[in-house]
Amino acid sequence: MLVDLNKFKGGCSCLREHEISVKGIFIEDGALERLPELLKDFKKPAVICDENTYSAAGKRACALLGGCLAVVLSPENLHADEKAVAKAAGMLTDDVDILVAAGSGTIHDTTRYIAAERRISFVSVPTAASVDGFVSTVAAMTWHGFKKTLPAVAPEYVLADSGIFSKAPMRLTAAGVCDLLGKYTALADWKISAVVTGEYICERVCSLEEKALEEVSKCSASLAAGDKAAYEKLMYALILSGLAMQMVGNSRPASGAEHHLSHLWEMAVINPPLDAYHGEKVSVGLFACLEFYGKINRAIKDHKIEIKPYGGLDKDFIRGCFGNGSLYDDIIKENTPDPLEKISPDDLSGKLEEIGKILDALPEVSELQGIVKSVSGVFLPEHIGLCGDTMEKSIKAAPYVRNRLTLMRISKMIKF
Ligand SMILES: [Zn+2]
Ligand SMILES: [Zn+2]
């Protein structure tokens, strides 16, 4: 299936002209075989993969490109960080004119960062439907210990071969399902912020994402059975989430409080380092977020909510979580200006009912848990090695990792 990119481009009711930089997306059995034709004008392609994805797709990609240079990284301790970038970039020759990312999220982020640095383009070959970042224009990296979103490039083409990614380990697919389900709270946060501060929002992006979410929710059971059509739907929804980020120019449509929790845990400041995939952390973040938002919604409905005047950044608490070093400075810098400063308590008070309506539209916890269970995914803190009592502190600390308004951030102004 060739994805019709015109659905995402052009003028819109949000009054913006949406731009998509990716030239073509193929989601089908055998998509990888299109590689030689698409890259026929390039002289020196190179494939970046790890040892696992080399056998799944990298080897075939190299063969299709006449035995091109293959950068095969060791999957052990491989993260999208300055070390992976140095290692992969060091193995590339100067004359490489296009890259092929054959792998999942880490390989993609590493490749897209190197491609941007070298001002060349890359082709995405996802080997698992494990994250939504394949067509992202930014790279989610850990740079010297700090989780950062760095400027990068989107792929020129995506060749999502269902013959390859439907055979990925189920744990990776489950992580993709969970990364996708995280869009429920991400979109709710975006809508709430638009209501509270008048932040820009695009209804078209929201409804495109919601439709794709529904489709995947309906066919999640078929994933466990290995049904290629269900895998293609999941991949489409994940890619669409990436396109939504391209349309808007940032990760707002794909990342809210549930991702902030995941980023916080990745920083390992209030918890030990976790051995879990991005989507697994998002899943635990999503359910913590749903529970917390559910409490706020009940308090709104019962009129048991009080708006507190905002007292500014709680620097003692931030120091207690992030320490006194450069991480503390980074967090303060990230939170300047403080997104809560522009919210007046009176204004917020008048918006509570509308916030409640947005929260009413969130799916039931049991429904989402059913989907996660159907793909043998994780959803409880202990599933990823977090102590249950870390959660309360996490909910307080996570909003500080990004300068982005979420209901979790707004909750610092409410008592319930
Ligand atoms: Zn729009
Ligand atoms: Zn994500």
Side-chain angles (χ1 to χ4, degrees):
M1 172 184 64
L2 171 66
V3 175
D4 177 13
L5 294 173
N6 290 321
K7 263 192 1 211
F8 310 99
K9 279 189 206 163
C12 183
S13 59
C14 73
L15 305 179
R16 281 196 188 178
E17 189 79 21
H18 292 301
E19 274 172 47
I20 295 287
S21 57
V22 56
K23 284 189 187 144
I25 299 174
F26 300 87
I27 306 173
E28 62 193 357
D29 197 358
L32 184 59
E33 306 300 308
R34 294 178 184 269
L35 201 53
E37 171 62 23
L38 292 176
L39 297 197
K40 65 179 189 308
D41 295 331
F42 292 92
K43 288 189 182 70
K44 185 84 184 183
V47 176
I48 299 183
C49 52
D50 65 33
E51 284 157 16
N52 298 326
T53 62
Y54 178 73
S55 42
K59 194 176 169 189
R60 178 68 190 148
C62 285
L64 284 167
L65 295 171
C68 75
L69 174 66
V71 171
V72 186
L73 300 169
S74 160
E76 221 156 287
N77 274 323
L78 183 62
H79 302 287
D81 57 14
E82 73 280 1
K83 286 175 233 152
V85 165
K87 208 171 214 170
M91 288 159 84
L92 293 171
T93 49
D94 287 340
D95 54 350
V96 166
D97 55 359
I98 188 153
L99 297 171
V100 177
S104 61
T106 303
I107 291 292
H108 273 74
D109 281 325
T110 306
T111 305
R112 97 175 73 245
Y113 182 84
I114 296 171
E117 228 178 21
R118 293 187 165 221
R119 296 174 191 279
I120 56 176
S121 45
F122 85 100
V123 175
S124 155
V125 179
T127 50
S130 54
V131 281
D132 71 346
F134 300 119
V135 297
S136 163
T137 47
V138 292
M141 315 280 294
T142 305
W143 215 249
H144 302 288
F146 194 77
K147 201 68 205 166
K148 276 190 177 157
T149 305
L150 298 173
V153 288
E156 196 144 306
Y157 291 98
V158 180
L159 297 178
D161 193 327
S162 52
I164 294 169
F165 67 79
S166 70
K167 294 191 183 77
M170 198 58 202
R171 191 181 157 195
L172 281 169
T173 304
V177 169
C178 295
D179 194 20
L180 190 70
L181 295 180
K183 308 313 158 208
Y184 277 117
T185 41
L187 291 174
D189 274 330
W190 192 14
K191 289 176 186 174
I192 289 169
S193 183
V195 163
V196 173
T197 66
E199 181 185 327
Y200 159 81
I201 191 163
C202 171
E203 295 300 335
R204 178 172 160 204
V205 167
C206 291
S207 68
L208 275 167
E209 281 203 43
E210 280 159 354
K211 227 177 104 198
L213 267 167
E214 257 169 54
E215 288 270 305
V216 172
S217 301
K218 273 190 271 178
C219 71
S220 67
S222 313
L223 290 168
D227 175 17
K228 270 188 200 156
Y231 274 87
E232 285 170 7
K233 272 185 190 157
L234 172 61
M235 183 58 87
Y236 175 78
L238 288 167
I239 286 175
L240 188 138
S241 171
L243 289 176
M245 294 190 250
Q246 280 197 19
M247 288 169 79
V248 168
N250 58 52
S251 65
R252 184 46 131 165
S255 162
E258 74 301 321
H259 271 74
H260 296 167
L261 283 166
S262 155
H263 297 329
L264 172 76
W265 299 327
E266 272 157 43
M267 290 164 81
V269 284
I270 62 166
N271 54 273
L274 305 182
D275 182 21
Y277 293 133
H278 170 72
E280 295 178 323
K281 285 172 272 192
V282 170
S283 178
V284 176
L286 163 70
F287 287 102
C289 196
L290 281 174
E291 195 192 329
F292 186 63
Y293 285 9
K295 279 186 198 156
I296 296 178
N297 198 18
R298 274 191 295 281
I300 293 175
K301 301 289 185 286
D302 297 342
H303 302 283
K304 282 192 178 140
I305 201 156
E306 226 181 279
I307 309 288
K308 301 186 285 191
Y310 182 56
L313 288 180
D314 186 348
K315 292 191 175 166
D316 288 338
F317 174 77
I318 293 175
R319 213 172 270 123
C321 292
F322 299 94
N324 226 344
S326 63
L327 209 49
Y328 172 81
D329 296 335
D330 282 341
I331 291 285
I332 297 298
K333 214 163 107 195
E334 178 70 26
N335 287 281
T336 311
D338 182 343
L340 290 183
E341 253 160 26
K342 56 183 173 196
I343 303 175
S344 91
D346 280 352
D347 244 26
L348 182 56
S349 218
K351 304 276 167 64
L352 288 176
E353 209 188 306
E354 235 175 306
I355 293 175
K357 276 189 194 144
I358 294 166
L359 297 176
D360 289 342
L362 282 170
E364 292 292 327
V365 169
S366 57
E367 185 193 327
L368 294 190
Q369 263 178 15
I371 295 171
V372 175
K373 282 180 189 163
S374 74
V375 289
S376 312
V378 301
F379 51 91
L380 291 175
E382 52 266 38
H383 289 159
I384 58 167
L386 272 179
C387 291
D389 57 2
T390 315
M391 203 51 84
E392 207 181 319
K393 201 172 180 186
S394 299
I395 285 174
K396 276 173 121 180
Y400 293 124
V401 305
R402 286 286 186 284
N403 196 329
R404 169 167 293 163
L405 195 66
T406 60
L407 182 59
M408 204 172 274
R409 181 82 180 221
I410 295 172
S411 77
K412 294 181 187 299
M413 291 180 70
I414 57 185
K415 227 165 111 184
F416 61 99

